[in-house]
Amino acid sequence: MINKVKIVFILSVVLLTACTPKKTSVETNKSSIDVKIDSLLAKMTLREKIGQMTQINLTVIAKGSNKWSSNDTMEIDPVKAKKAIMDYKVGSVLNTVNNLAQTPKTWYENISEIQKFAIDSTPIKIPIIYGIDAIHGATYTDGATMFPQQITTAATWNTKNAYNMGAVCAYETRASGIPWNFSPVLDLGLDPRFPRQFETFGEDPFLVTEFGKAIIAGYQGDDNNIGHMSKVAACMKHFTGYQATISGKDRTPAYIPDNVLFEYHIKSFKAAIDAGAKTVMINSGLINGIPVHSSFKILTEILRNKLGFQGVILTDWEDINKLCDRDKVARNRKEAIRMAINAGIDMSMVPYEYEEFIELLTELVKEGQVEMSRIDDATRKILRLKYELDLFNNPVTNYKDYPDFGGEESDKLAYESASESITLLKNSNSILPLKKGSKILVTGPNGNNMQCLNGAWTYNWQGKYTDLYVKGVPAHLVNKATKEGILKNSLISKNLSPKNYTTIFESVSNVYGENNVTYIPGVSYKRGGAFYDMVEDDIDQVVKAAKSHDFILLCLGENSYTEKPGDLNDLNLHELQIKLANKLSKCGKPVILVLNIGRPRLISEIEPFMSAIVNIYLPGNLGGIALADVLSGKVNPSGKLPYTYPAYPNSLSTYYYKPSEVQNNAQGAYNYVGELNNLYEFGYGISYTNYEYKNFKLVNDTLNANDTLSLSVTIENTGSIDGSEVVQVYTSDLFASVSPDNKRLRAFDKVFIEAGQSKDVLFKIPVSDLSFYNDENINVLEKGAFSVHVGANSKDLISSNFHVK
């Protein structure tokens, strides 16, 4: 029998008060859990233990023609489920059918059916653990709240928004009957070419670390009581160095020295481990020629032994097979399984040929190629996770106990994050905000498109059905609606309530009046094409219409994508978008460029002709409304770039570059001048008001290694509008045994300051934070001279020197 637990989830517009839930009846005494695990392990057969290490895709046990795809209507096939769960003892299931979002009711009914096979029909009675990618909301749940993507959240520079996203996502994922979320992404978003930069919290290790800790607290609760029915087990990913590829493309090789790995890539994961993250997913690529899934060094020596991670290590999609099939480090799949399990993998996201995985791993154990102790260790960790999630008492949560699912308060929190993230990059002659009564022409492929506002992982892997879902089309009909190319009233379910979400055009129309706002796309994304494919509609029509409007709102950017389908060969905006922009720049009307992008696409060719530039990133379902409020002046923009915005294709660098990147050495016959060409600096973003930094003070300019660097600065709002400013603190090591970074972010604080008022901002930074990993991969703090910088971005700073003894 499935236990039902009534959960009360209270939301506040300012902060989620459910962050500290009441204790449930979950067993919290670790020694007592250990006793239960020991007792259970002693009863388990080898097949049952290996089954716990096996995760399959839902389509394998769903009704349909084959294991790779199923019917659009989610329904469990009892014959397939019996084979997988009862005969092969599979312990985990993930994903949805055909990448389609389902209602909470559908999720509950199907996961309940799965649990009956695991609990009611097996002697060992171990519940299935269900996992899902809920990336900026409950991705595969119809009606779920969609927050801004992680990169957009980072642009708020306010970790409260990451916490709130995590808490709402956890609640709504549990409302779907799912206790395990494959999130957050703690990779560094180093490379704008990479197709998953938008899933990160930006390029800086400190920024990623702080936002990572916040979202994990939202997912798991401040006390990590994941048995609470509004919390989930987080899965930090993708350990490690995943987005530092040479090619800039997904799942391709990276070459990272150990000291670089520890100095930049591992820090966010270490902080997440210390914060209590329960599980981790592994980098699908290679580091220094070795697939991470086969690396004993990375998985056991570093992750387990050095970082102290005691949770479950999960593969990514089919990555054990790829050791043989793709990377050619294993002669066959059996050898691939041996390498991965011995390296430290606890659970394989198989996801289809589970029979092969289970049988081959069984052979390896019986042959002595994988020790029984390794199997027991992995099984123990998986069982602990299931006990901590309270799955033995409550294997599936009931959607009826979640009255706040998809509620107004959650939407308010998503709106706050979206409005706080919007980054004003240019505002010539203070053209923004636009006065009421203005006649506005909205144009560009992103101007009337919910899919573009959200990006991938929105009701679908690639996010391609978003416009249908928000209008109330049920999951089993979205493919029909897409094929027909039209939205018929007959396809809209009476059982679903269409959300009041609006596109940029619709949102601006609501603010400025339908009679004052016109939409003509000019260019569009090709229906059924790749994310980068575009078609020209009628650019001349847009140019003609511009003559009768006061302002042009040019909405450019990207269509939705993620992972390998999002690989690109040209970082420039599509040539048709550039063509539209250039044509409009000659109309004699002010052009406000709205960038709706998951990564910084190059705009240097058109930037000089834009009167204003607003980066909205991927702001989610409330992004159109948030943008309209910024354009009208209802919201004073306060977002800051969480990455460096490059100017040219061969000018890709983080703000913490090495000194040799910039040189001024033209002597004799040789010119060794070097420069970086950024369009906008990391941390950059302007406001409708102005801020003045003054009275910068250090408490002490001579410090010991165990001291704290204390500093203060006064920020004055010299304008006539209230606003929030992100105060950023950087340090520079002036000389070091390893060429030091140009500067590194050490602290930040977002402060609200009324017009004409000032605020004193204080920072305390442990001197030990200034240490670095040297060429022997030893974390050292070297004596000498340092600079500390304070300012509104990584370039415009006031500085002071100090000395470490």
Side-chain angles (χ1 to χ4, degrees):
M1 177 65 68
I2 304 297
N3 295 324
K4 296 180 180 179
V5 180
K6 180 65 178 176
I7 309 297
V8 178
F9 190 75
I10 303 172
L11 292 169
S12 163
V13 176
V14 178
L15 187 65
L16 287 165
T17 57
C19 61
T20 310
K22 294 180 179 179
K23 295 285 185 179
T24 68
S25 60
V26 181
E27 182 63 71
T28 57
N29 188 316
K30 288 187 176 181
S31 61
S32 183
I33 289 180
D34 286 333
V35 170
K36 292 180 180 180
I37 294 172
D38 289 341
S39 176
L40 195 52
L41 269 176
K43 300 173 186 175
M44 295 175 70
T45 64
L46 176 60
R47 169 64 65 90
E48 288 167 336
K49 292 175 181 177
I50 293 176
Q52 290 299 306
M53 300 170 65
T54 307
Q55 186 177 70
I56 59 173
N57 195 52
L58 179 61
T59 56
V60 173
I61 57 173
K63 289 186 177 180
S65 58
N66 56 58
K67 67 178 70 175
W68 296 279
S69 63
S70 56
N71 301 335
D72 285 350
T73 302
M74 182 187 285
E75 190 175 0
I76 303 303
D77 186 318
V79 175
K80 295 178 181 178
K82 178 182 180 298
K83 178 185 176 184
I85 300 171
M86 295 174 60
D87 298 343
Y88 277 84
K89 317 300 181 185
V90 167
S92 183
V93 181
L94 83 153
N95 223 336
T96 181
V97 290
N98 303 340
N99 286 316
L100 298 174
Q102 309 293 327
T103 65
K105 180 176 184 289
T106 300
W107 276 118
Y108 173 72
E109 291 171 348
N110 282 272
I111 295 177
S112 295
E113 188 71 16
I114 291 170
Q115 295 293 20
K116 288 178 182 178
F117 285 98
I119 298 171
D120 296 348
S121 304
T122 62
I124 206 69
K125 299 185 182 304
I126 300 175
I128 293 289
I129 182 171
Y130 209 105
I132 204 78
D133 287 285
I135 303 303
H136 66 122
T139 295
Y140 294 112
T141 303
D142 198 353
T145 307
M146 291 297 158
F147 274 72
Q149 297 276 3
Q150 277 191 205
I151 197 70
T152 322
T153 307
T156 71
W157 288 66
N158 185 346
T159 57
K160 176 197 75 174
N161 293 307
Y163 179 93
N164 286 347
M165 177 166 69
V168 172
C169 181
Y171 178 86
E172 297 189 354
T173 300
R174 279 287 200 164
S176 310
I178 300 172
W180 189 11
N181 184 14
F182 305 145
S183 177
V185 171
L186 297 182
D187 310 319
L188 295 184
L190 296 165
D191 192 336
R193 300 172 301 169
F194 200 80
R196 304 185 75 173
Q197 190 193 43
F198 73 90
E199 295 181 51
T200 77
F201 286 123
E203 72 180 38
D204 178 73
F206 181 74
L207 193 68
V208 174
T209 294
E210 294 303 298
F211 275 83
K213 290 188 297 184
I215 197 171
I216 288 171
Y219 285 146
Q220 297 190 169
D222 291 340
D223 57 359
N224 287 310
N225 179 14
I226 59 173
H228 192 282
M229 295 299 98
S230 68
K231 298 302 173 186
V232 296
C235 184
M236 49 187 176
K237 61 187 189 183
H238 309 81
F239 191 83
T240 180
Y242 173 55
Q243 299 203 23
T245 64
I246 298 299
S247 68
K249 296 184 177 181
D250 187 31
R251 289 168 164 84
T252 56
Y255 295 90
I256 311 173
D258 284 353
N259 65 320
V260 173
L261 199 67
F262 276 86
E263 178 65 26
Y264 306 102
H265 300 279
I266 285 178
K267 287 190 173 183
S268 56
F269 289 95
K270 171 58 175 170
I273 292 168
D274 292 344
K278 298 296 182 180
T279 69
V280 64
M281 186 182 293
I282 302 306
N283 175 0
S284 290
L286 301 85
I287 295 179
N288 304 332
I290 306 298
V292 181
H293 279 77
S294 67
S295 175
F296 181 84
K297 172 184 174 181
I298 292 178
L299 301 187
T300 297
E301 292 180 356
I302 294 177
L303 181 57
R304 287 287 189 215
N305 299 339
K306 193 172 184 66
L307 302 185
F309 179 65
Q310 296 302 312
V312 173
I313 299 178
L314 174 70
T315 76
D316 206 336
W317 188 266
E318 209 174 16
D319 275 335
I320 291 182
N321 287 350
K322 289 173 185 172
L323 299 179
C324 167
D325 301 344
R326 183 194 69 187
D327 297 328
K328 311 303 180 185
V329 296
R331 287 184 292 272
N332 51 53
R333 289 187 174 182
K334 183 175 180 178
E335 185 175 9
I337 293 169
R338 176 187 62 78
M339 294 171 69
I341 300 302
N342 285 338
I345 292 296
D346 296 320
M347 183 183 289
S348 173
M349 189 184 290
V350 175
Y352 298 114
E353 285 112 0
Y354 65 91
E355 304 97 330
E356 177 186 59
F357 173 77
I358 292 172
E359 289 166 359
L360 290 178
L361 183 51
T362 300
E363 289 179 14
L364 288 164
V365 175
K366 290 181 177 179
E367 294 166 359
Q369 295 191 62
V370 174
E371 296 291 337
M372 191 66 202
S373 59
R374 177 77 269 273
I375 302 298
D376 284 343
D377 176 61
T379 306
R380 179 180 294 276
K381 287 178 169 62
I382 294 164
L383 291 176
R384 179 178 297 280
L385 178 64
K386 292 185 176 185
Y387 273 114
E388 289 182 344
L389 284 166
D390 200 27
L391 297 182
F392 286 87
N393 292 319
N394 191 18
V396 57
T397 43
N398 193 329
Y399 68 98
K400 293 179 181 179
D401 296 329
Y402 294 81
D404 294 315
F405 172 85
E408 291 183 6
E409 292 300 316
S410 297
D411 274 347
K412 288 179 182 178
L413 292 169
Y415 165 81
E416 287 181 358
S417 183
S419 62
E420 200 174 340
S421 70
I422 291 174
T423 306
L424 183 61
L425 298 175
K426 183 177 181 180
N427 194 20
S428 298
N429 301 316
S430 298
I431 195 169
L432 296 179
L434 302 178
K435 62 182 181 294
K436 289 291 180 70
S438 298
K439 295 187 71 65
I440 302 169
L441 173 63
V442 180
T443 186
N446 296 56
N448 197 28
N449 190 320
M450 292 301 299
Q451 178 177 334
C452 295
L453 286 178
N454 280 277
W457 303 111
T458 309
Y459 311 116
N460 172 265
W461 176 40
Q462 294 294 319
K464 61 183 179 179
Y465 299 132
T466 303
D467 287 88
L468 298 174
Y469 274 108
V470 299
K471 289 179 171 65
V473 178
H476 66 282
L477 292 178
V478 294
N479 281 323
K480 176 179 173 63
T482 301
K483 289 175 183 177
E484 292 181 0
I486 55 175
L487 182 61
K488 296 180 179 179
N489 289 333
S490 61
L491 297 180
I492 299 177
S493 173
K494 295 179 181 179
N495 298 319
L496 298 175
S497 300
K499 290 279 193 173
N500 190 29
Y501 300 139
T502 50
T503 65
I504 293 173
F505 163 62
E506 293 166 342
S507 301
V508 173
S509 296
N510 289 340
V511 171
Y512 287 90
E514 293 182 1
N515 294 331
N516 292 324
V517 182
T518 305
Y519 176 66
I520 307 173
V523 299
S524 300
Y525 297 109
K526 184 178 180 181
R527 183 182 165 206
F531 80 94
Y532 48 79
D533 288 333
M534 306 203 71
V535 294
E536 183 174 343
D537 297 320
D538 192 341
I539 291 179
D540 290 337
Q541 182 186 2
V542 179
V543 173
K544 182 178 179 181
K547 298 176 182 178
S548 59
H549 291 77
D550 300 316
F551 301 99
I552 301 168
L553 195 65
L554 177 59
C555 303
L556 304 182
E558 300 180 301
N559 205 353
S560 62
Y561 59 83
T562 189
E563 301 192 58
K564 286 303 289 184
D567 283 347
L568 54 70
N569 296 315
D570 188 354
L571 196 54
N572 288 288
L573 279 177
H574 193 283
E575 60 184 1
L576 288 179
Q577 296 193 40
I578 297 295
K579 178 180 178 181
L580 175 62
N582 281 327
K583 289 268 190 177
L584 289 172
S585 69
K586 299 172 184 177
C587 290
K589 296 296 177 74
V591 180
I592 293 94
L593 174 61
V594 175
L595 293 171
N596 178 197
I597 48 178
R599 51 192 160 191
R601 303 299 293 267
L602 303 183
I603 59 170
S604 294
E605 180 180 339
I606 61 174
E607 186 274 338
F609 311 115
M610 302 296 109
S611 297
I613 300 176
V614 184
N615 190 357
I616 64 170
Y617 312 90
L618 299 174
N621 280 333
L622 282 302
I625 298 172
L627 173 62
D629 286 345
V630 168
L631 295 175
S632 68
K634 181 179 179 180
V635 171
N636 187 2
S638 62
K640 302 275 188 174
L641 289 174
Y643 49 63
T644 302
Y645 205 118
Y648 305 111
N650 199 29
S651 183
L652 309 181
S653 178
T654 63
Y655 80 90
Y656 44 91
Y657 57 84
K658 298 297 183 181
S660 60
E661 293 280 1
V662 178
Q663 300 184 34
N664 186 19
N665 185 16
Q667 296 179 357
Y670 297 101
N671 183 347
Y672 288 134
V673 173
E675 60 182 2
L676 285 175
N677 301 112
N678 299 327
L679 190 61
Y680 301 108
E681 303 297 330
F682 173 82
Y684 181 80
I686 56 178
S687 167
Y688 292 156
T689 190
N690 297 301
Y691 302 100
E692 181 182 344
Y693 285 67
K694 56 187 179 181
N695 301 327
F696 176 36
K697 299 175 183 177
L698 292 181
V699 173
N700 196 334
D701 62 4
T702 303
L703 301 162
N704 293 311
N706 58 352
D707 287 340
T708 298
L709 174 65
S710 299
L711 56 121
S712 64
V713 64
T714 301
I715 316 298
E716 182 180 359
N717 182 343
T718 59
S720 58
I721 303 173
D722 298 345
S724 294
E725 170 71 334
V726 178
V727 185
Q728 302 165 41
V729 181
Y730 300 83
T731 64
S732 300
D733 192 342
L734 301 187
F735 298 94
S737 57
V738 172
S739 183
D741 294 330
N742 171 54
K743 60 176 72 76
R744 291 285 292 276
L745 181 69
R746 301 301 183 186
F748 61 89
D749 190 12
K750 193 165 194 174
V751 294
F752 175 76
I753 309 174
E754 294 179 351
Q757 300 299 307
S758 299
K759 183 163 290 188
D760 294 330
V761 185
L762 309 176
F763 294 97
K764 292 182 179 295
I765 302 167
V767 173
S768 58
D769 285 359
L770 309 182
S771 64
F772 65 93
Y773 285 87
N774 64 16
D775 61 344
E776 297 178 349
N777 201 29
I778 299 172
N779 193 28
V780 297
L781 175 63
E782 296 179 345
K783 300 176 183 179
F786 292 78
S787 290
V788 59
H789 322 276
V790 178
N793 59 72
S794 60
K795 184 176 182 179
D796 300 317
L797 301 161
I798 53 177
S799 305
S800 183
N801 291 338
F802 64 97
H803 190 85
V804 175
K805 295 189 293 183

